[in-house]
Amino acid sequence: MHLRAGQTRAALADYERALDLVTNEAERRYLTTARHLAEKEGPVPVFRKSPPGLIARFDELARFAGDADRKLMFGYPVCVLRGNMFMGLHQDSLILRLAEADRAEFIGRYDAAPFEPMPGRPMKEYVVVPPALVYDDDAIGEWVRKSRAWAEQLPAKKPKKKG
């Protein structure tokens, strides 16, 4: 599927074709939401790829995630533990999933924001890491470990059946 900025009808057809192909329930929900937004608001959002330097930094930070699985979600690298994503990239941002108390502390300490992949559509429990913090090994390492610790407490997700 490709995005056609400014060509809503063609983009909606692309979403329909993609929904026919996708079996992962999370991706289906994402595509359905994006399709509904396109129907309401016109042009389909266009997401930029993460810059190579940030992808390299993500690879370095993955060492703080221990034995978590590395995957691609919507073309962005993420770390997943027992089916629960807890760290990832989105465009030019690093995002972390944190417990409520840690999230409140993080937002207050770093003047950070909750993660919204699309305006007005926040992802529960996720925050955007301020760019300066991404390159502070001591501080970001602590938060990546807290993010992983939160993922350890979440119930494991059952693998989706394909086909």
Side-chain angles (χ1 to χ4, degrees), residues 142-161:
E142 172 189 352
W143 289 104
V144 169
R145 285 188 287 272
K146 285 183 179 189
S147 182
R148 185 187 191 288
W150 176 238
E152 287 174 351
Q153 295 177 31
L154 297 172
K157 290 187 176 178
K158 293 181 182 176
K160 305 291 182 193
K161 293 181 182 177

Side-chain angles (χ1 to χ4, degrees), residues 13-66:
D14 288 343
Y15 278 114
E16 291 304 320
R17 282 190 294 279
L19 281 166
D20 289 341
L21 299 172
V22 172
T23 58
N24 178 299
E25 192 58 35
E27 289 179 0
R28 289 188 62 76
R29 282 193 308 270
Y30 177 85
L31 287 169
T32 301
T33 299
R35 184 187 66 206
H36 289 305
L37 287 174
E39 289 171 346
K40 287 184 191 176
E41 299 175 15
V44 177
V46 177
F47 294 124
R48 298 177 314 278
K49 291 183 179 183
S50 296
L54 185 58
I55 294 171
R57 181 61 179 156
F58 180 86
D59 292 340
E60 293 170 0
L61 294 175
R63 74 180 187 270
F64 295 117

Side-chain angles (χ1 to χ4, degrees), residues 94-117:
L94 173 68
I95 59 170
L96 296 175
R97 185 177 194 175
L98 297 169
E100 186 175 351
D102 289 337
R103 195 168 54 254
E105 179 185 348
F106 186 87
I107 289 171
R109 183 185 295 182
Y110 301 107
D111 195 27
F115 173 57
E116 290 186 5

